Amino acid sequence: RIAPRSVAEVDVTFLPLVERAEVQRGVLTLSCPELGAYVYSLELTAQRARLERTIHFSTPLGRSHTQTARLTMFPRSTEQSAEFTCEVGSGKAERESDAFSVERTLTVRPAPKPTDGVEVPVEVHFEPCAVGEAHATLTVRHDTLGSYVLPLVGIATTPKPQGPIVIRSGESRQVKFKNVLSHAASFAYRLDSPFFSLSSSGERLDAKKETTITLSYNPSAAGVKAVGRLVIAVQDRTAVQWIYYLSGV
């Protein structure tokens, strides 16, 4: 309702969900019995959506980092859920996207009203395949409800030493190790103390495969304590090493 001799503003909301090359045209009509009709022509252009905020990750090689992106989506139905597909695309270099993973589908619950946005969490995992920086893009897509594109940037530092792993005299402990590289590789296992022993001096692992290494402690005399290290490296390549500190008691 507008008071006499006053001016009112009318907010017009345009909420496109899918990019369209052509201009859409429409008509907005404001009318009342006393003043008649005011007709406005509308020209509507649905441009490509902007990139979402970049998600940053940082973790040592051999570990992982999970971040949760929160997207505001606009499901048109107030009764039925919508299913989006999620896909990680290549970054600046080949296979960079291998370091990132996400669930393939995302279910979005109905909105109270078609124009109400629904905040949807999307978990993205970063498990680096090499030391350095990795880039990729995450696309969350629906045929009629639009697409969301998120840049992903992950930084992998050199592996951090782990442990100490405490091993009692005459007993053994197991260490799980995973080949986080994007290709199969042969790994060498090495100890720097004669009081510890290994179940194997090395093995070949397929990409993303895990193995178990058994360690034993055999002191020179009862009650003797010793320390040492288990060093794991790709054979013929010592630039990157995984180090586990050992403590024999």
Side-chain angles (χ1 to χ4, degrees):
R1 186 174 180 82
I2 305 174
R5 299 181 182 278
S6 62
V7 176
E9 294 183 352
V10 177
D11 291 328
V12 180
T13 302
F14 176 47
L15 186 61
L17 297 179
V18 179
E19 176 189 4
R20 295 184 183 275
E22 69 277 7
V23 176
Q24 297 174 281
R25 290 177 171 81
V27 175
L28 171 64
T29 303
L30 306 178
S31 63
C32 72
E34 295 83 3
L35 299 176
Y38 293 81
V39 181
Y40 299 87
S41 297
L42 304 178
E43 291 188 354
L44 310 173
T45 303
Q47 300 176 341
R48 178 176 298 178
R50 297 178 181 176
L51 294 176
E52 301 291 326
R53 187 182 66 173
T54 301
I55 306 178
H56 294 273
F57 304 81
S58 181
T59 188
L61 186 64
R63 299 188 183 182
S64 62
H65 184 193
T66 298
Q67 292 274 49
T68 300
R70 300 191 180 277
L71 303 177
T72 301
M73 298 180 168
F74 296 88
R76 290 305 196 198
S77 174
T78 58
E79 298 178 356
Q80 295 181 339
S81 298
E83 191 170 273
F84 286 71
T85 60
C86 304
E87 182 180 2
V88 177
S90 298
K92 294 181 179 179
E94 186 180 1
R95 303 196 70 122
E96 276 190 276
S97 61
D98 290 352
F100 302 92
S101 62
V102 66
E103 291 291 334
R104 292 186 177 182
T105 59
L106 179 68
T107 301
V108 180
R109 69 181 187 276
K113 295 188 299 183
T115 55
D116 287 350
V118 177
E119 186 179 80
V120 182
V122 183
E123 279 197 351
V124 186
H125 307 282
F126 173 59
E127 187 179 61
C129 307
V131 173
E133 195 169 288
H135 297 258
T137 55
L138 168 62
T139 302
V140 182
R141 180 184 293 110
H142 189 281
D143 290 340
T144 60
L145 299 180
S147 299
Y148 301 79
V149 181
L150 300 86
L152 308 176
V153 178
I155 296 177
T157 57
T158 54
K160 284 187 175 181
Q162 299 182 55
I165 300 171
V166 179
I167 310 174
R168 297 187 179 279
S169 175
E171 297 182 358
S172 61
R173 289 286 302 274
Q174 292 184 328
V175 174
K176 289 185 176 181
F177 177 74
K178 182 179 181 179
N179 174 15
V180 296
L181 307 179
S182 59
H183 55 82
S186 295
F187 292 86
Y189 309 149
R190 179 175 59 84
L191 294 169
D192 64 359
S193 170
F195 302 115
F196 298 92
S197 59
L198 282 166
S199 57
S200 171
S201 61
E203 61 187 301
R204 184 172 180 81
L205 296 174
D206 291 334
K208 307 301 181 182
K209 295 301 181 181
E210 192 174 83
T211 189
T212 299
I213 304 169
T214 301
L215 294 162
S216 300
Y217 175 52
N218 300 291
S220 56
V224 175
K225 296 182 179 181
V227 294
R229 298 185 309 164
L230 165 64
V231 181
I232 302 176
V234 179
Q235 287 185 359
D236 303 323
R237 292 169 55 189
T238 57
V240 178
Q241 296 180 335
W242 289 265
I243 297 175
Y244 297 82
Y245 289 110
L246 309 176
S247 175
V249 296

